[in-house]
Amino acid sequence: MPKERVLITVKTYPTLSRKYGEMVCTAGVRADGSWVRLYPVPFRRLEEEDQYAKFDWIEAELAKSRSDPRPETYRLLDPKDMHRVGHVGTDNNWRERRQLLLKASHVYDRLQPLLDGAKANTISLAVFKPARILDFIWEECERDWDTAKVAAMRQAASQGNLFEEEGWRKTFRLMRKLPYNFSYRFADADGRESELQVLDWEAGQLYWNCLKSTSSSESDALEKVRQKYLNEFAGRDLHFFLGTMQQFHGFAPNPWVIIGVFPIPHDNQMDLL
């Protein structure tokens, strides 16, 4: 089977799976702009040289998922055979990123086609352009991982059946669970107002960095995250990468979440960056 190249645009904050342990939802686009979701990906158990960053090209053999009915979901035939093969930077006014994500890929500005498409199982990943950003908020949630999932993961690891890996077990530690859920409130081109959760890895990591770097309180760290995602990003040509939640795909009134943000500069901002 020939290998495929995918430009990684999405890495969500790690979650726990009873079957696969700690997983990162990864998504990106092919050169023709079509979307691919890679799951499961044991990101933090990959060798360091294969731990891809956003906007890295990766190459791997892919097969349509047998357990996930969403049309864009694929599985890695061999996670050890996935490799980074390039990177797309921000040269020439982000030209290549713009071409792949705003031209080759379809950009939606209305939520209704995405709701209809998810219900019909014709789409589960998309680029979305909000008409107005209304707010960026957070809500406190559970502070610790589900103990049953942690126990199941440890049992699987002890049995040696998590991707048949060896070396990672000696040093691996679970990523800390975020104690807050972040969300954007926005309006689309129809004036429809919505609130969608933000699952982007960078939002979670920014919270931990703000909390650690200044020895600030949680409230101070949260305000710094809000400052970046609301004030700084709202001043750019902000786009969302949207994805549906598998457990809600096809039947929930709105199964979509924000799995990544694309805060591209406006053309007249480039000289100021």
Side-chain angles (χ1 to χ4, degrees):
M1 181 177 293
K3 292 185 177 182
E4 291 201 59
R5 285 167 56 97
V6 178
L7 180 70
I8 302 300
T9 62
V10 168
K11 288 195 307 181
T12 64
Y13 197 82
T15 59
L16 290 191
S17 161
R18 290 177 184 270
K19 182 176 181 181
Y20 299 116
E22 185 191 278
M23 289 291 115
V24 172
C25 178
T26 299
V29 294
R30 301 180 180 92
D32 64 1
S34 60
W35 278 91
V36 176
R37 177 187 290 103
L38 302 177
Y39 189 87
V41 177
F43 176 76
R44 292 203 306 129
R45 299 200 301 276
L46 297 174
E47 296 296 330
E48 184 174 351
E49 62 268 21
D50 293 322
Q51 288 192 353
Y52 47 84
K54 288 172 70 172
F55 300 105
D56 277 349
W57 284 104
I58 63 100
E59 190 174 74
E61 287 186 280
L62 307 179
K64 186 68 184 70
S65 175
R66 292 184 291 232
S67 60
D68 186 339
R70 292 174 294 179
E72 300 93 344
T73 304
Y74 289 76
R75 59 186 175 88
L76 298 165
L77 290 182
D78 182 0
K80 296 178 182 178
D81 197 35
M82 178 181 64
H83 302 290
R84 292 184 296 174
V85 293
H87 181 79
V88 174
T90 58
D91 296 340
N92 299 319
N93 194 16
W94 297 42
R95 180 182 59 82
E96 193 172 357
R97 293 187 186 183
R98 290 176 188 268
Q99 175 62 39
L100 287 166
L101 294 163
L102 304 185
K103 295 182 180 179
S105 289
H106 180 75
V107 179
Y108 293 81
D109 61 3
R110 299 170 53 244
L111 201 57
Q112 192 59 51
L114 294 175
L115 299 176
D116 295 340
K119 188 173 182 179
N121 194 32
T122 59
I123 188 171
S124 69
L125 291 168
V127 184
F128 180 83
K129 169 65 176 173
R132 287 183 297 123
I133 299 298
L134 305 176
D135 206 352
F136 182 86
I137 62 173
W138 58 82
E139 181 180 13
E140 191 167 6
C141 61
E142 296 83 2
R143 289 181 171 265
D144 298 304
W145 294 114
D146 182 286
T147 54
K149 288 184 178 180
V150 174
M153 187 196 76
R154 287 175 176 166
Q155 181 179 8
S158 67
Q159 295 172 349
N161 60 358
L162 281 180
F163 295 93
E164 300 180 354
E165 298 177 68
E166 297 296 335
W168 67 270
R169 293 190 180 89
K170 298 177 181 179
T171 59
F172 186 79
R173 296 292 183 273
L174 277 179
M175 194 85 163
R176 287 181 293 178
K177 186 182 181 303
L178 276 176
Y180 296 92
N181 292 327
F182 299 113
S183 298
Y184 266 116
R185 290 176 178 165
F186 61 92
D188 69 3
D190 289 334
R192 178 179 190 155
E193 297 185 3
S194 302
E195 179 181 314
L196 295 185
Q197 188 176 348
V198 178
L199 303 184
D200 189 12
W201 182 315
E202 292 178 354
Q205 196 58 53
L206 177 61
Y207 168 77
W208 293 123
N209 290 343
C210 291
L211 191 63
K212 179 181 179 181
S213 64
T214 61
S215 299
S216 60
S217 65
E218 288 192 358
S219 60
D220 290 338
L222 290 166
E223 285 295 341
K224 290 178 180 178
V225 175
R226 186 174 188 270
Q227 166 71 25
K228 187 175 187 69
Y229 276 76
L230 181 63
N231 298 342
E232 181 179 334
F233 286 176
R236 294 190 174 195
D237 187 13
L238 181 63
H239 292 71
F240 298 150
F241 300 137
L242 300 186
T244 63
M245 302 287 285
Q246 183 180 357
Q247 63 266 45
F248 303 125
H249 180 81
F251 67 90
N254 188 349
W256 293 90
V257 292
I258 299 169
I259 54 176
V261 296
F262 190 44
I264 196 167
H266 293 287
D267 288 341
N268 59 7
Q269 290 179 312
M270 292 307 298
D271 293 337
L272 303 177
L273 297 180

